[in-house]
Amino acid sequence: MNELGYDGLTLGNHEFDYVEYHTRNALQEADFPILSANVEVTTTHLPVPESYVEFQTTTGRNISVLGLSVTSGSKEGVRQLEILETARQYMYLRDESDVFVALTHIGLEHDVSLAEEFPQIDVIIGGHSHHMIEEAVLVNGVLVAQAGGNQHVVSDAHPVYLGKVLVRLENGRIADKRGHVLFLSD
């Protein structure tokens, strides 16, 4: 992930499934922020995630990225907080950002609920439910994107997909936002 140039990662249920030393060690090698505003981590087997991260573009625009996760049930030292209630606490980021993104691992159903509840969010890039949204959709003015999921084996029978989201600003305001899925081939 470091070599691919990740800017951030939201914890997902499988990071919580494998709350062991190898998970912690792998995540501690990350040269990018690990996000999850609605998960409290008190175990030493996982790094404590940041709630959000702020980026500045080369043109001086601010992008805030809020992380939201689902855990895989009860794990010692890991507590999931209510998603919408937690998100509400971070809506102030809208006023501090030119673009406000939620990077989620909560599933499409929760992504839709998040968009319906908080039109202040510009883009939701989601995961967990493995839905493929070939062309990102607008829900309550929020662009919702997911690039699907694939088996752990990559082959012609199990291709890899990459989601691409573009947000165009004019004079600091969003003029256009769209997303689509790309098929990655050999």
Side-chain angles (χ1 to χ4, degrees), residues 40-99:
E40 291 180 349
V41 173
T42 57
T43 178
T44 59
H45 296 292
L46 280 173
V48 175
E50 298 176 45
S51 297
Y52 67 94
V53 64
E54 294 179 331
F55 298 103
Q56 190 167 56
T57 69
T58 57
T59 58
R61 299 296 178 194
N62 295 315
I63 302 171
S64 293
V65 180
L66 174 67
L68 296 167
S69 306
V70 292
T71 64
S72 48
S74 177
K75 298 285 183 189
E76 186 176 336
V78 175
R79 185 169 81 109
Q80 179 182 320
L81 306 174
E82 204 281 323
I83 295 168
L84 295 180
E85 185 178 310
T86 301
R88 185 176 324 284
Q89 297 171 29
Y90 292 93
M91 287 303 113
Y92 69 89
L93 293 171
R94 166 71 276 160
D95 296 330
E96 298 177 3
S97 311
D98 296 298
V99 180

Side-chain angles (χ1 to χ4, degrees), residues 1 6 33 37 50 67 120 138 168 176:
M1 292 182 283
Y6 275 37
E50 298 176 45
Q120 303 94 314
L138 285 174
R168 185 171 53 85
D176 186 37

Side-chain angles (χ1 to χ4, degrees), residues 119-180:
Q120 303 94 314
I121 299 171
D122 296 308
V123 177
I124 297 173
I125 301 171
H128 180 62
S129 58
H130 303 272
H131 283 86
M132 162 106 41
I133 303 175
E134 290 187 43
E135 295 291 327
V137 296
L138 285 174
V139 176
N140 198 25
V142 179
L143 188 71
V144 177
Q146 282 199 21
N150 59 284
Q151 303 293 327
H152 294 287
V153 176
V154 177
S155 68
D156 289 339
H158 302 287
V160 174
Y161 300 100
L162 175 68
K164 182 175 183 177
V165 172
L166 299 170
V167 178
R168 185 171 53 85
L169 299 171
E170 289 181 2
N171 300 318
R173 301 185 140 270
I174 294 177
D176 186 37
K177 54 186 175 182
R178 61 184 68 201
H180 61 277

